[in-house]
Amino acid sequence: ALWAARRLVRPIQDLVAGTRAVAKGDFDMRLPLTSHDEMGILVHSFNDMTKRLARARVEMRRSQQEAEAERANLAVILARLSTGVISLEPDRTIRTANEAASAILGTDVEALIGKPLQASTGRSLFDQFQTACSAHLDAGETEWREQIVLQSESSRCVLMCACTSLSELSGDGESSGGYVIVFDDITALLQA
């Protein structure tokens, strides 16, 4: 009677132990297949489930590594551009900015990451830039192109600006949204 009870209870105890291991993240857990009855089918299903979970975890890690590599490549490209690039969250918080944006606008835009675009820096070029961009976004324009003239105390700067919505760039519908503003200093070109 004890042998028969152990034979019935042992697979259930193995399933409980296996379930606890999976709950802790051990997807390599495999239970011994001791019979081909209903309990055996349950054990086989458990082993199949943990195998799929392990594969999904490996695939997820690979995808994360690919995304990180793409993000690093994009950061290198943005750093080397002579065109200013500023990306905004949907609430117009600055998400990213490259070095060229800081050089063109005469302020460290990268230090403003995480702050609203409308935050005044006390620097006239950036304040004029954000006022012009905010005017378009306040009017509901997510796609626009404009030549903006910025005036400092000693000089005049002419920028060719373009803005696009990030949600329209992504075809998968999973974009977090926001905006990308790209601009070039065309002052020297116009003077020539």
Side-chain angles (χ1 to χ4, degrees), residues 45-188:
S45 296
F46 177 86
N47 287 339
D48 186 49
M49 176 194 68
T50 57
K51 198 183 312 179
R52 287 185 198 171
L53 286 172
R55 258 187 271 140
R57 181 177 57 184
V58 167
E59 187 65 29
M60 182 188 69
R61 284 184 182 155
R62 187 181 63 72
S63 295
Q64 285 176 332
Q65 289 170 344
E66 288 175 1
E68 287 299 320
E70 286 298 318
R71 190 173 294 135
N73 288 340
L74 182 60
V76 168
I77 291 168
L78 284 175
R80 302 243 160 91
L81 284 177
S82 62
T83 300
V85 179
I86 297 175
S87 68
L88 306 173
E89 298 287 350
D91 66 356
R92 299 186 201 167
T93 300
I94 298 174
R95 182 186 299 166
T96 60
N98 66 351
E99 292 175 24
S102 297
I104 292 169
L105 296 174
T107 191
D108 186 5
V109 182
E110 292 171 290
L112 298 174
I113 291 175
K115 296 182 181 169
L117 177 67
Q118 291 85 356
S120 177
T121 63
R123 310 266 175 129
S124 67
L125 291 181
F126 181 79
D127 286 345
Q128 292 172 52
F129 172 80
Q130 68 86 8
T131 299
C133 293
S134 293
H136 285 286
L137 296 174
D138 288 342
E141 299 173 34
T142 58
E143 300 281 331
W144 53 269
R145 181 179 301 270
E146 181 184 7
Q147 186 172 308
I148 299 173
V149 178
L150 307 177
Q151 189 70 44
S152 71
E153 292 177 10
S154 60
S155 65
R156 186 178 100 139
C157 178
V158 182
L159 303 181
M160 180 53 74
C161 281
C163 177
T164 190
S165 172
L166 286 175
S167 60
E168 292 181 14
L169 293 175
S170 176
D172 60 7
E174 294 184 22
S175 175
S176 61
Y179 312 96
V180 175
I181 302 170
V182 180
F183 51 97
D184 274 311
D185 185 351
I186 60 170
T187 308

